[in-house]
Amino acid sequence: MNKPFFSLQLAKSSGAFFVLDATVNPALDDAQSSRVGLYLKNMEPNIVNSLSPNIIVLRGFPSISRANSLPLHAQWKMEFETNNVNAPYYHRPIDAANLNPELPLSRLYYWSPAFKLPGTSEDIMLCSVPLIDSRGHVFGVCGLEISAMLFKLSNMPQRGTYQRMFCVFSPITENKIDLQKSMFAGGYSAKMTSKGNTTLKISDQGRSFCSYKQSQGRNHSFLGFHKPINLYSRNSTFSDEKWVAALMIPEMDVVSSITRLNLMLISLLTILVLLGIIAAFFLSKQFLKPFFEGLDIIKSENLSEAPRTQIPEINDLIDFLKVHNEELYEKAKQENLSLSSLDEFLENTEKLTPSERLVFNHYVKGYTPKETAEELFLSINTIKTHNKRIYTKLNINSRDELILYVKLLKEIGKEIADQGDQ
């Protein structure tokens, strides 16, 4: 218990574990793929405040949990499922150690791509190393976890002009990024929009940005940068596995920025046209009426049914505005679609009971669970019970994720109504 517990506190990780090549009951049907061990998780992997981590038991004997006053995770199981499909973090380091007994542990560790443990809901990456006894016998693995929430909190990009900028950490094969094996940080996730097409193909355009495109499905495309990341040394067993870190922006956002620039140019052009109309008014009244007719058409709400004028320039301007209005309308629909997850979170807050809403409001104001319990004169166990119900109704996993959603809503100008404090 002590080694993974203190390792978890010292390392900037969200979990620590070990798995032994043994099972409690070899007579069970699934004994061949069930292994005993211990898995501790920090449910609040906030790198800013690590003084009071909320550590719980995800895998392991319940007696260990009781003896150390640690709660069991809602998705707790006693043993690990270690079939070849679900547990590369277990089999690959063990196989590497058995095939290369002369290599030190520093050449045998393995980083798993993002995946979900069977029976859990959060993406994680595991760094595992084989356990070897003094006689060279491999009897299990141990390692640390990086959860999707910890990755998001640690690598949130600083967004300026482009609010939907996000970063990706992913294995790369044949110049392609597998989104299902990637970690994401930012208010927008390419994984959420993939819908069956999980591969991004990297296209070097020979300019400042690279292009990342889906070859099938909805054909989302992104612009950005990427850089190779070496997770292994040259003579490591897994040195042939390549990883990249990338910073991306949806291509439609760049197009929207260019569109706004074009609208500014159109506005300047409109001003010039108005100045011309004023000049024409003073030069000759006979030109005044057709220009005002053209302006009335430009100001109309439905340019698609606008009649032709006697001035070719006005007709060209109307046609130009028609096209741009249609483009802006389509982009506005896409913007609303990409914010659906935030809208869903905002709607879910209406499902909270008055007592749950009180706890939720205190978290929004920055209170910790302990401070919230003191403010509301409740026990910490009652607060934990409210937390589970709040997280379930909001479809989140922790208070940090709750605060992150609230922050993102504020950034896009949506405030959560402060109810339940009466």
PDB file of all heavy atoms in Angstrom, residues 166-199:
ATOM      1  N   PHE A 166      -6.991  23.829 -29.520  1.00  0.00           N
ATOM      2  CA  PHE A 166      -6.811  22.688 -28.627  1.00  0.00           C
ATOM      3  C   PHE A 166      -5.505  21.987 -28.954  1.00  0.00           C
ATOM      4  O   PHE A 166      -4.946  22.156 -30.043  1.00  0.00           O
ATOM      5  CB  PHE A 166      -7.986  21.702 -28.749  1.00  0.00           C
ATOM      6  CG  PHE A 166      -8.117  21.056 -30.107  1.00  0.00           C
ATOM      7  CD1 PHE A 166      -7.576  19.808 -30.357  1.00  0.00           C
ATOM      8  CD2 PHE A 166      -8.793  21.704 -31.128  1.00  0.00           C
ATOM      9  CE1 PHE A 166      -7.696  19.210 -31.600  1.00  0.00           C
ATOM     10  CE2 PHE A 166      -8.921  21.123 -32.381  1.00  0.00           C
ATOM     11  CZ  PHE A 166      -8.369  19.878 -32.615  1.00  0.00           C
ATOM     12  N   CYS A 167      -5.006  21.222 -27.986  1.00  0.00           N
ATOM     13  CA  CYS A 167      -3.779  20.466 -28.217  1.00  0.00           C
ATOM     14  C   CYS A 167      -4.071  18.972 -28.145  1.00  0.00           C
ATOM     15  O   CYS A 167      -5.015  18.536 -27.484  1.00  0.00           O
ATOM     16  CB  CYS A 167      -2.677  20.856 -27.241  1.00  0.00           C
ATOM     17  SG  CYS A 167      -3.005  20.442 -25.530  1.00  0.00           S
ATOM     18  N   VAL A 168      -3.257  18.195 -28.851  1.00  0.00           N
ATOM     19  CA  VAL A 168      -3.420  16.750 -28.978  1.00  0.00           C
ATOM     20  C   VAL A 168      -2.077  16.088 -28.715  1.00  0.00           C
ATOM     21  O   VAL A 168      -1.031  16.572 -29.180  1.00  0.00           O
ATOM     22  CB  VAL A 168      -3.915  16.363 -30.387  1.00  0.00           C
ATOM     23  CG1 VAL A 168      -4.094  14.849 -30.496  1.00  0.00           C
ATOM     24  CG2 VAL A 168      -5.202  17.070 -30.727  1.00  0.00           C
ATOM     25  N   PHE A 169      -2.103  14.989 -27.964  1.00  0.00           N
ATOM     26  CA  PHE A 169      -0.917  14.155 -27.775  1.00  0.00           C
ATOM     27  C   PHE A 169      -1.286  12.760 -28.242  1.00  0.00           C
ATOM     28  O   PHE A 169      -2.227  12.152 -27.710  1.00  0.00           O
ATOM     29  CB  PHE A 169      -0.488  14.149 -26.313  1.00  0.00           C
ATOM     30  CG  PHE A 169       0.801  13.418 -26.063  1.00  0.00           C
ATOM     31  CD1 PHE A 169       1.965  13.786 -26.723  1.00  0.00           C
ATOM     32  CD2 PHE A 169       0.850  12.351 -25.182  1.00  0.00           C
ATOM     33  CE1 PHE A 169       3.149  13.122 -26.504  1.00  0.00           C
ATOM     34  CE2 PHE A 169       2.035  11.672 -24.956  1.00  0.00           C
ATOM     35  CZ  PHE A 169       3.191  12.060 -25.623  1.00  0.00           C
ATOM     36  N   SER A 170      -0.582  12.243 -29.266  1.00  0.00           N
ATOM     37  CA  SER A 170      -1.072  11.040 -29.919  1.00  0.00           C
ATOM     38  C   SER A 170       0.065  10.224 -30.515  1.00  0.00           C
ATOM     39  O   SER A 170       1.088  10.775 -30.939  1.00  0.00           O
ATOM     40  CB  SER A 170      -2.047  11.433 -31.036  1.00  0.00           C
ATOM     41  OG  SER A 170      -2.421  10.318 -31.811  1.00  0.00           O
ATOM     42  N   PRO A 171      -0.116   8.884 -30.590  1.00  0.00           N
ATOM     43  CA  PRO A 171       0.793   8.084 -31.404  1.00  0.00           C
ATOM     44  C   PRO A 171       0.549   8.381 -32.876  1.00  0.00           C
ATOM     45  O   PRO A 171      -0.566   8.750 -33.272  1.00  0.00           O
ATOM     46  CB  PRO A 171       0.416   6.638 -31.042  1.00  0.00           C
ATOM     47  CG  PRO A 171      -0.985   6.718 -30.549  1.00  0.00           C
ATOM     48  CD  PRO A 171      -1.130   8.069 -29.905  1.00  0.00           C
ATOM     49  N   ILE A 172       1.561   8.222 -33.697  1.00  0.00           N
ATOM     50  CA  ILE A 172       1.445   8.515 -35.123  1.00  0.00           C
ATOM     51  C   ILE A 172       1.975   7.336 -35.913  1.00  0.00           C
ATOM     52  O   ILE A 172       3.042   6.791 -35.606  1.00  0.00           O
ATOM     53  CB  ILE A 172       2.185   9.825 -35.487  1.00  0.00           C
ATOM     54  CG1 ILE A 172       2.040  10.128 -36.983  1.00  0.00           C
ATOM     55  CG2 ILE A 172       3.635   9.791 -35.053  1.00  0.00           C
ATOM     56  CD1 ILE A 172       2.577  11.480 -37.376  1.00  0.00           C
ATOM     57  N   THR A 173       1.213   6.930 -36.929  1.00  0.00           N
ATOM     58  CA  THR A 173       1.586   5.819 -37.792  1.00  0.00           C
ATOM     59  C   THR A 173       1.346   6.211 -39.235  1.00  0.00           C
ATOM     60  O   THR A 173       0.231   6.609 -39.604  1.00  0.00           O
ATOM     61  CB  THR A 173       0.754   4.560 -37.460  1.00  0.00           C
ATOM     62  OG1 THR A 173       0.889   4.244 -36.076  1.00  0.00           O
ATOM     63  CG2 THR A 173       1.226   3.374 -38.281  1.00  0.00           C
ATOM     64  N   GLU A 174       2.405   6.127 -40.062  1.00  0.00           N
ATOM     65  CA  GLU A 174       2.303   6.455 -41.486  1.00  0.00           C
ATOM     66  C   GLU A 174       1.688   7.836 -41.699  1.00  0.00           C
ATOM     67  O   GLU A 174       0.781   8.022 -42.505  1.00  0.00           O
ATOM     68  CB  GLU A 174       1.496   5.380 -42.215  1.00  0.00           C
ATOM     69  CG  GLU A 174       2.145   4.013 -42.189  1.00  0.00           C
ATOM     70  CD  GLU A 174       1.323   2.969 -42.924  1.00  0.00           C
ATOM     71  OE1 GLU A 174       0.182   3.300 -43.326  1.00  0.00           O
ATOM     72  OE2 GLU A 174       1.818   1.847 -43.106  1.00  0.00           O
ATOM     73  N   ASN A 175       2.163   8.796 -40.920  1.00  0.00           N
ATOM     74  CA  ASN A 175       1.725  10.183 -41.052  1.00  0.00           C
ATOM     75  C   ASN A 175       0.234  10.374 -40.753  1.00  0.00           C
ATOM     76  O   ASN A 175      -0.406  11.284 -41.277  1.00  0.00           O
ATOM     77  CB  ASN A 175       2.023  10.719 -42.459  1.00  0.00           C
ATOM     78  CG  ASN A 175       2.518  12.149 -42.428  1.00  0.00           C
ATOM     79  OD1 ASN A 175       3.153  12.568 -41.463  1.00  0.00           O
ATOM     80  ND2 ASN A 175       2.246  12.899 -43.466  1.00  0.00           N
ATOM     81  N   LYS A 176      -0.303   9.508 -39.880  1.00  0.00           N
ATOM     82  CA  LYS A 176      -1.711   9.603 -39.512  1.00  0.00           C
ATOM     83  C   LYS A 176      -1.845   9.593 -37.993  1.00  0.00           C
ATOM     84  O   LYS A 176      -1.142   8.848 -37.303  1.00  0.00           O
ATOM     85  CB  LYS A 176      -2.514   8.450 -40.110  1.00  0.00           C
ATOM     86  CG  LYS A 176      -2.597   8.487 -41.634  1.00  0.00           C
ATOM     87  CD  LYS A 176      -3.418   7.317 -42.163  1.00  0.00           C
ATOM     88  CE  LYS A 176      -3.508   7.346 -43.685  1.00  0.00           C
ATOM     89  NZ  LYS A 176      -4.277   6.197 -44.204  1.00  0.00           N
ATOM     90  N   ILE A 177      -2.764  10.404 -37.471  1.00  0.00           N
ATOM     91  CA  ILE A 177      -3.053  10.495 -36.049  1.00  0.00           C
ATOM     92  C   ILE A 177      -4.336   9.736 -35.761  1.00  0.00           C
ATOM     93  O   ILE A 177      -5.369   9.985 -36.389  1.00  0.00           O
ATOM     94  CB  ILE A 177      -3.197  11.969 -35.609  1.00  0.00           C
ATOM     95  CG1 ILE A 177      -1.858  12.695 -35.752  1.00  0.00           C
ATOM     96  CG2 ILE A 177      -3.711  12.061 -34.177  1.00  0.00           C
ATOM     97  CD1 ILE A 177      -1.946  14.179 -35.435  1.00  0.00           C
ATOM     98  N   ASP A 178      -4.265   8.804 -34.809  1.00  0.00           N
ATOM     99  CA  ASP A 178      -5.452   8.044 -34.398  1.00  0.00           C
ATOM    100  C   ASP A 178      -6.114   8.772 -33.230  1.00  0.00           C
ATOM    101  O   ASP A 178      -5.604   8.790 -32.121  1.00  0.00           O
ATOM    102  CB  ASP A 178      -5.052   6.625 -33.991  1.00  0.00           C
ATOM    103  CG  ASP A 178      -6.269   5.723 -33.768  1.00  0.00           C
ATOM    104  OD1 ASP A 178      -7.387   6.267 -33.623  1.00  0.00           O
ATOM    105  OD2 ASP A 178      -6.105   4.499 -33.744  1.00  0.00           O
ATOM    106  N   LEU A 179      -7.279   9.373 -33.483  1.00  0.00           N
ATOM    107  CA  LEU A 179      -7.941  10.195 -32.471  1.00  0.00           C
ATOM    108  C   LEU A 179      -8.422   9.367 -31.284  1.00  0.00           C
ATOM    109  O   LEU A 179      -8.506   9.875 -30.163  1.00  0.00           O
ATOM    110  CB  LEU A 179      -9.135  10.928 -33.097  1.00  0.00           C
ATOM    111  CG  LEU A 179      -8.801  11.912 -34.223  1.00  0.00           C
ATOM    112  CD1 LEU A 179     -10.083  12.518 -34.777  1.00  0.00           C
ATOM    113  CD2 LEU A 179      -7.869  12.997 -33.738  1.00  0.00           C
ATOM    114  N   GLN A 180      -8.751   8.086 -31.497  1.00  0.00           N
ATOM    115  CA  GLN A 180      -9.231   7.253 -30.400  1.00  0.00           C
ATOM    116  C   GLN A 180      -8.123   6.891 -29.420  1.00  0.00           C
ATOM    117  O   GLN A 180      -8.392   6.430 -28.318  1.00  0.00           O
ATOM    118  CB  GLN A 180      -9.859   5.971 -30.961  1.00  0.00           C
ATOM    119  CG  GLN A 180     -11.095   6.213 -31.817  1.00  0.00           C
ATOM    120  CD  GLN A 180     -12.186   6.945 -31.069  1.00  0.00           C
ATOM    121  OE1 GLN A 180     -12.470   6.626 -29.922  1.00  0.00           O
ATOM    122  NE2 GLN A 180     -12.807   7.932 -31.709  1.00  0.00           N
ATOM    123  N   LYS A 181      -6.868   7.104 -29.803  1.00  0.00           N
ATOM    124  CA  LYS A 181      -5.735   6.804 -28.930  1.00  0.00           C
ATOM    125  C   LYS A 181      -5.033   8.075 -28.467  1.00  0.00           C
ATOM    126  O   LYS A 181      -3.885   8.031 -28.029  1.00  0.00           O
ATOM    127  CB  LYS A 181      -4.737   5.902 -29.657  1.00  0.00           C
ATOM    128  CG  LYS A 181      -5.309   4.553 -30.055  1.00  0.00           C
ATOM    129  CD  LYS A 181      -4.272   3.705 -30.784  1.00  0.00           C
ATOM    130  CE  LYS A 181      -4.840   2.350 -31.172  1.00  0.00           C
ATOM    131  NZ  LYS A 181      -3.849   1.519 -31.894  1.00  0.00           N
ATOM    132  N   SER A 182      -5.726   9.224 -28.541  1.00  0.00           N
ATOM    133  CA  SER A 182      -5.107  10.521 -28.275  1.00  0.00           C
ATOM    134  C   SER A 182      -5.646  11.143 -26.993  1.00  0.00           C
ATOM    135  O   SER A 182      -6.752  10.839 -26.544  1.00  0.00           O
ATOM    136  CB  SER A 182      -5.369  11.484 -29.449  1.00  0.00           C
ATOM    137  OG  SER A 182      -4.910  10.935 -30.669  1.00  0.00           O
ATOM    138  N   MET A 183      -4.838  12.037 -26.426  1.00  0.00           N
ATOM    139  CA  MET A 183      -5.254  12.883 -25.308  1.00  0.00           C
ATOM    140  C   MET A 183      -5.514  14.292 -25.841  1.00  0.00           C
ATOM    141  O   MET A 183      -4.785  14.775 -26.722  1.00  0.00           O
ATOM    142  CB  MET A 183      -4.174  12.919 -24.230  1.00  0.00           C
ATOM    143  CG  MET A 183      -4.098  11.663 -23.387  1.00  0.00           C
ATOM    144  SD  MET A 183      -5.540  11.518 -22.301  1.00  0.00           S
ATOM    145  CE  MET A 183      -5.002  10.201 -21.220  1.00  0.00           C
ATOM    146  N   PHE A 184      -6.520  14.971 -25.262  1.00  0.00           N
ATOM    147  CA  PHE A 184      -6.915  16.291 -25.737  1.00  0.00           C
ATOM    148  C   PHE A 184      -6.950  17.288 -24.579  1.00  0.00           C
ATOM    149  O   PHE A 184      -7.255  16.919 -23.442  1.00  0.00           O
ATOM    150  CB  PHE A 184      -8.306  16.243 -26.380  1.00  0.00           C
ATOM    151  CG  PHE A 184      -8.381  15.415 -27.626  1.00  0.00           C
ATOM    152  CD1 PHE A 184      -8.616  14.047 -27.548  1.00  0.00           C
ATOM    153  CD2 PHE A 184      -8.194  15.978 -28.869  1.00  0.00           C
ATOM    154  CE1 PHE A 184      -8.681  13.265 -28.683  1.00  0.00           C
ATOM    155  CE2 PHE A 184      -8.260  15.214 -30.014  1.00  0.00           C
ATOM    156  CZ  PHE A 184      -8.498  13.855 -29.928  1.00  0.00           C
ATOM    157  N   ALA A 185      -6.643  18.543 -24.897  1.00  0.00           N
ATOM    158  CA  ALA A 185      -6.771  19.631 -23.934  1.00  0.00           C
ATOM    159  C   ALA A 185      -7.278  20.855 -24.675  1.00  0.00           C
ATOM    160  O   ALA A 185      -6.716  21.249 -25.694  1.00  0.00           O
ATOM    161  CB  ALA A 185      -5.434  19.936 -23.251  1.00  0.00           C
ATOM    162  N   GLY A 186      -8.342  21.457 -24.160  1.00  0.00           N
ATOM    163  CA  GLY A 186      -8.919  22.625 -24.798  1.00  0.00           C
ATOM    164  C   GLY A 186     -10.431  22.541 -24.769  1.00  0.00           C
ATOM    165  O   GLY A 186     -11.024  21.528 -24.393  1.00  0.00           O
ATOM    166  N   GLY A 187     -11.080  23.609 -25.207  1.00  0.00           N
ATOM    167  CA  GLY A 187     -12.531  23.661 -25.194  1.00  0.00           C
ATOM    168  C   GLY A 187     -13.186  22.973 -26.365  1.00  0.00           C
ATOM    169  O   GLY A 187     -14.391  22.950 -26.476  1.00  0.00           O
ATOM    170  N   TYR A 188     -12.378  22.397 -27.254  1.00  0.00           N
ATOM    171  CA  TYR A 188     -12.899  21.740 -28.454  1.00  0.00           C
ATOM    172  C   TYR A 188     -12.114  20.463 -28.660  1.00  0.00           C
ATOM    173  O   TYR A 188     -10.903  20.435 -28.480  1.00  0.00           O
ATOM    174  CB  TYR A 188     -12.746  22.659 -29.664  1.00  0.00           C
ATOM    175  CG  TYR A 188     -13.246  22.092 -30.975  1.00  0.00           C
ATOM    176  CD1 TYR A 188     -14.576  22.265 -31.351  1.00  0.00           C
ATOM    177  CD2 TYR A 188     -12.403  21.389 -31.828  1.00  0.00           C
ATOM    178  CE1 TYR A 188     -15.037  21.758 -32.561  1.00  0.00           C
ATOM    179  CE2 TYR A 188     -12.858  20.878 -33.031  1.00  0.00           C
ATOM    180  CZ  TYR A 188     -14.174  21.070 -33.398  1.00  0.00           C
ATOM    181  OH  TYR A 188     -14.629  20.567 -34.582  1.00  0.00           O
ATOM    182  N   SER A 189     -12.773  19.383 -29.025  1.00  0.00           N
ATOM    183  CA  SER A 189     -12.093  18.102 -29.201  1.00  0.00           C
ATOM    184  C   SER A 189     -12.424  17.522 -30.563  1.00  0.00           C
ATOM    185  O   SER A 189     -13.588  17.338 -30.901  1.00  0.00           O
ATOM    186  CB  SER A 189     -12.493  17.111 -28.103  1.00  0.00           C
ATOM    187  OG  SER A 189     -11.958  15.838 -28.371  1.00  0.00           O
ATOM    188  N   ALA A 190     -11.379  17.235 -31.349  1.00  0.00           N
ATOM    189  CA  ALA A 190     -11.602  16.586 -32.639  1.00  0.00           C
ATOM    190  C   ALA A 190     -12.196  15.202 -32.449  1.00  0.00           C
ATOM    191  O   ALA A 190     -12.911  14.700 -33.312  1.00  0.00           O
ATOM    192  CB  ALA A 190     -10.280  16.498 -33.397  1.00  0.00           C
ATOM    193  N   LYS A 191     -11.918  14.570 -31.316  1.00  0.00           N
ATOM    194  CA  LYS A 191     -12.437  13.228 -31.059  1.00  0.00           C
ATOM    195  C   LYS A 191     -13.960  13.242 -30.975  1.00  0.00           C
ATOM    196  O   LYS A 191     -14.633  12.308 -31.405  1.00  0.00           O
ATOM    197  CB  LYS A 191     -11.837  12.686 -29.761  1.00  0.00           C
ATOM    198  CG  LYS A 191     -12.214  11.250 -29.449  1.00  0.00           C
ATOM    199  CD  LYS A 191     -11.478  10.770 -28.221  1.00  0.00           C
ATOM    200  CE  LYS A 191     -11.802   9.319 -27.903  1.00  0.00           C
ATOM    201  NZ  LYS A 191     -11.056   8.834 -26.715  1.00  0.00           N
ATOM    202  N   MET A 192     -14.530  14.320 -30.417  1.00  0.00           N
ATOM    203  CA  MET A 192     -15.978  14.422 -30.268  1.00  0.00           C
ATOM    204  C   MET A 192     -16.668  14.531 -31.623  1.00  0.00           C
ATOM    205  O   MET A 192     -17.831  14.162 -31.770  1.00  0.00           O
ATOM    206  CB  MET A 192     -16.335  15.626 -29.402  1.00  0.00           C
ATOM    207  CG  MET A 192     -15.860  15.527 -27.964  1.00  0.00           C
ATOM    208  SD  MET A 192     -16.076  17.082 -27.067  1.00  0.00           S
ATOM    209  CE  MET A 192     -17.848  17.315 -27.242  1.00  0.00           C
ATOM    210  N   THR A 193     -15.983  15.031 -32.642  1.00  0.00           N
ATOM    211  CA  THR A 193     -16.603  15.266 -33.948  1.00  0.00           C
ATOM    212  C   THR A 193     -16.255  14.197 -34.965  1.00  0.00           C
ATOM    213  O   THR A 193     -16.699  14.268 -36.100  1.00  0.00           O
ATOM    214  CB  THR A 193     -16.162  16.638 -34.504  1.00  0.00           C
ATOM    215  OG1 THR A 193     -14.730  16.630 -34.679  1.00  0.00           O
ATOM    216  CG2 THR A 193     -16.541  17.743 -33.562  1.00  0.00           C
ATOM    217  N   SER A 194     -15.424  13.213 -34.572  1.00  0.00           N
ATOM    218  CA  SER A 194     -14.964  12.232 -35.551  1.00  0.00           C
ATOM    219  C   SER A 194     -16.106  11.336 -36.041  1.00  0.00           C
ATOM    220  O   SER A 194     -16.206  11.049 -37.228  1.00  0.00           O
ATOM    221  CB  SER A 194     -13.846  11.378 -34.955  1.00  0.00           C
ATOM    222  OG  SER A 194     -14.278  10.722 -33.797  1.00  0.00           O
ATOM    223  N   LYS A 195     -16.957  10.831 -35.120  1.00  0.00           N
ATOM    224  CA  LYS A 195     -18.136  10.041 -35.486  1.00  0.00           C
ATOM    225  C   LYS A 195     -17.780   8.885 -36.423  1.00  0.00           C
ATOM    226  O   LYS A 195     -18.274   8.781 -37.551  1.00  0.00           O
ATOM    227  CB  LYS A 195     -19.198  10.940 -36.144  1.00  0.00           C
ATOM    228  CG  LYS A 195     -19.692  12.076 -35.269  1.00  0.00           C
ATOM    229  CD  LYS A 195     -20.351  11.554 -34.003  1.00  0.00           C
ATOM    230  CE  LYS A 195     -20.922  12.692 -33.166  1.00  0.00           C
ATOM    231  NZ  LYS A 195     -21.524  12.229 -31.937  1.00  0.00           N
ATOM    232  N   GLY A 196     -16.904   8.017 -35.989  1.00  0.00           N
ATOM    233  CA  GLY A 196     -16.568   6.835 -36.775  1.00  0.00           C
ATOM    234  C   GLY A 196     -15.329   6.983 -37.623  1.00  0.00           C
ATOM    235  O   GLY A 196     -14.718   5.994 -38.006  1.00  0.00           O
ATOM    236  N   ASN A 197     -14.944   8.193 -37.966  1.00  0.00           N
ATOM    237  CA  ASN A 197     -13.716   8.402 -38.720  1.00  0.00           C
ATOM    238  C   ASN A 197     -12.659   8.897 -37.738  1.00  0.00           C
ATOM    239  O   ASN A 197     -12.590  10.073 -37.423  1.00  0.00           O
ATOM    240  CB  ASN A 197     -13.952   9.422 -39.839  1.00  0.00           C
ATOM    241  CG  ASN A 197     -12.717   9.617 -40.707  1.00  0.00           C
ATOM    242  OD1 ASN A 197     -11.773   8.839 -40.625  1.00  0.00           O
ATOM    243  ND2 ASN A 197     -12.724  10.662 -41.505  1.00  0.00           N
ATOM    244  N   THR A 198     -11.834   7.999 -37.265  1.00  0.00           N
ATOM    245  CA  THR A 198     -10.957   8.315 -36.141  1.00  0.00           C
ATOM    246  C   THR A 198      -9.555   8.711 -36.560  1.00  0.00           C
ATOM    247  O   THR A 198      -8.686   8.855 -35.710  1.00  0.00           O
ATOM    248  CB  THR A 198     -10.859   7.098 -35.204  1.00  0.00           C
ATOM    249  OG1 THR A 198     -10.280   5.993 -35.924  1.00  0.00           O
ATOM    250  CG2 THR A 198     -12.224   6.699 -34.689  1.00  0.00           C
ATOM    251  N   THR A 199      -9.303   8.886 -37.842  1.00  0.00           N
ATOM    252  CA  THR A 199      -7.947   9.142 -38.324  1.00  0.00           C
ATOM    253  C   THR A 199      -7.831  10.534 -38.923  1.00  0.00           C
ATOM    254  O   THR A 199      -8.680  10.953 -39.713  1.00  0.00           O
ATOM    255  CB  THR A 199      -7.536   8.095 -39.373  1.00  0.00           C
ATOM    256  OG1 THR A 199      -7.627   6.802 -38.804  1.00  0.00           O
ATOM    257  CG2 THR A 199      -6.113   8.334 -39.835  1.00  0.00           C
TER     258      THR A 199
END
